[in-house]
Amino acid sequence: MDQASQVAVGTVVKAHGIRGELKVALYSGSADAFRSYRELLLAPAEGGDGARSFAVRRARPQDGAVLLELEGIETRNQAEALVGWKVLVERGLFAELAEHEYYWHDLVGFTVRTVDGTEIGTVQGLLATPGHDLLVVADGTTEYLVPMRREIVVHEDRATGELVIDPPEGLLDLNRAD
């Protein structure tokens, strides 16, 4: 598996049981999607070499996470050694999206401007919240949390990597995380 074509979809948060099962916290999406994956790549959180490919024996959702049984991981000790590792999936396995739908990883790096043309920064990541997802936008000194809602994110251009927002007055001041 080529790591460059992989997308991080979660992190191993703990061993589950005594037979090597892993509990994975998901970055976004549905735990049910894991049922269709035949192979996953696990990579150390700090990056670098050491990524390993595993065949998926079984995947089952559990409270917003997923429990994985992987070939070659048979004991709790083996599973505990993978805590903190990122779980990656081949980008080509993701479903096609409709207009105005995104995969989070595709938005990272987009430039964010207001409708009047003021650049506020670039998308650094996204956060899932019960109400709606939040764009984490930073300009180098200030970080903003922008609700990913159609009435706020009014235009996107995938070709240029730009999002245009129309925030209500005071939203950017209220959602500053500096």
Side-chain angles (χ1 to χ4, degrees):
M1 286 181 123
D2 173 26
Q3 194 168 346
S5 66
Q6 305 291 314
V7 176
V9 294
T11 300
V12 177
V13 292
K14 70 180 202 171
H16 181 81
I18 61 171
R19 295 193 177 119
E21 203 169 18
L22 304 171
K23 184 169 187 175
V24 176
L26 304 177
Y27 296 152
S28 68
S30 167
D32 287 328
F34 276 80
R35 291 183 172 149
S36 65
Y37 301 146
R38 294 191 182 340
E39 188 175 16
L40 298 171
L41 188 70
L42 271 63
E46 64 277 354
D49 294 336
R52 297 171 46 196
S53 180
F54 293 93
V56 178
R57 269 196 230 144
R58 183 174 171 210
R60 57 192 171 101
Q62 185 193 54
D63 301 326
V66 67
L67 298 177
L68 292 177
E69 291 178 30
L70 303 176
E71 288 290 329
I73 307 299
E74 310 294 333
T75 68
R76 183 172 184 86
N77 287 345
Q78 289 174 315
E80 286 175 342
L82 296 172
V83 170
W85 285 43
K86 294 183 286 185
V87 178
L88 300 107
V89 173
E90 180 71 37
R91 179 182 300 270
L93 295 176
F94 292 160
E96 289 294 318
L97 298 174
E99 186 178 4
H100 305 300
E101 289 185 334
Y102 309 90
Y103 286 116
W104 282 13
H105 61 273
D106 290 335
L107 295 177
V108 173
F110 272 39
T111 300
V112 179
R113 299 182 194 285
T114 60
V115 291
D116 68 6
T118 304
E119 184 175 323
I120 66 164
T122 59
V123 177
Q124 305 297 307
L126 286 98
L127 299 172
T129 67
H132 46 264
D133 296 336
L134 297 172
L135 292 166
V136 180
V137 180
D139 68 0
T141 58
T142 305
E143 186 175 271
Y144 303 94
L145 301 176
V146 178
M148 188 66 177
R149 301 186 47 88
R150 177 63 24 218
E151 59 271 14
I152 295 173
V153 180
V154 296
H155 179 74
E156 68 280 337
D157 188 335
R158 294 177 195 218
T160 63
E162 184 174 273
L163 296 175
V164 177
I165 64 170
D166 188 9
E169 188 174 331
L171 178 78
L172 294 178
D173 291 327
L174 178 66
N175 287 350
R176 287 175 71 151
D178 55 0

